[in-house]
Amino acid sequence: LYKPEPTPARILPLLIQVADVLAALHANHIVHRDLKPDNVMVRRGRRGDEAILIDFGISLLDGEKDTLKYYGTAGYMAPEQARGDKVDGRADIYSLGKMIAEIWVGKGRNETIPKPLAGVVGQMLEDKPEKRPTLDAVKAALAACRKTLTA
């Protein structure tokens, strides 16, 4: 079974797809709340690799009673989620920021996050949800970074 190396150039388009899925979820008032690499599957589609977001077991629909407020995966949970506070889509943005940062600095890698993306990732990992960027800003930074890697 052939498994290509998970390089930034290969993963960035998938992260853009994940951001698109999150935007659709958030537009429908759904927060995933357990975004992590294990919950993003990649399949070979007609137009290349496609990111599929899975495991909606602790997702939250706005207005629902939050009986699972302390659930999630340590290391990817937004600070407000770890505290058991009310969460919204900005918690997913935090988790996506953790995933993006890991591409360059996780699991034995110690590379510098490219400039077009580094500032946005820093904002995504802000403790205060109101300081985090929108998904549109995240997608723009991912796309800019992708251009520099493929140029």
Side-chain angles (χ1 to χ4, degrees), residues 65-83:
K65 184 174 167 96
D66 190 359
T67 57
L68 300 173
K69 66 168 81 179
Y70 294 102
Y71 286 77
T73 301
Y76 293 96
M77 271 194 290
E80 65 273 20
Q81 185 176 350
R83 289 189 302 266

Side-chain angles (χ1 to χ4, degrees), residues 35-49:
L35 184 63
K36 60 185 177 182
D38 289 347
N39 287 340
V40 178
M41 304 300 292
V42 179
R43 73 173 183 189
R44 190 83 183 145
R46 282 182 272 167
R47 293 176 280 161
D49 289 344

Side-chain angles (χ1 to χ4, degrees), residues 6-105:
T7 62
R10 182 173 176 268
I11 293 174
L12 282 168
L14 298 170
L15 290 169
I16 293 168
Q17 292 175 27
V18 169
D20 285 335
V21 171
L22 289 177
L25 290 174
H26 297 169
N28 286 290
H29 311 288
I30 300 169
V31 183
H32 188 277
R33 296 199 306 181
D34 199 20
L35 184 63
K36 60 185 177 182
D38 289 347
N39 287 340
V40 178
M41 304 300 292
V42 179
R43 73 173 183 189
R44 190 83 183 145
R46 282 182 272 167
R47 293 176 280 161
D49 289 344
E50 298 175 345
I52 309 294
L53 191 54
I54 63 169
D55 193 358
F56 287 80
I58 64 168
S59 62
L60 180 67
L61 181 61
D62 267 353
E64 277 188 354
K65 184 174 167 96
D66 190 359
T67 57
L68 300 173
K69 66 168 81 179
Y70 294 102
Y71 286 77
T73 301
Y76 293 96
M77 271 194 290
E80 65 273 20
Q81 185 176 350
R83 289 189 302 266
D85 295 345
K86 183 174 170 39
V87 297
D88 58 26
R90 297 173 294 187
D92 289 339
I93 292 171
Y94 180 92
S95 301
L96 182 59
K98 292 290 261 189
M99 289 173 53
I100 294 168
E102 280 184 356
I103 293 170
W104 282 273
V105 296

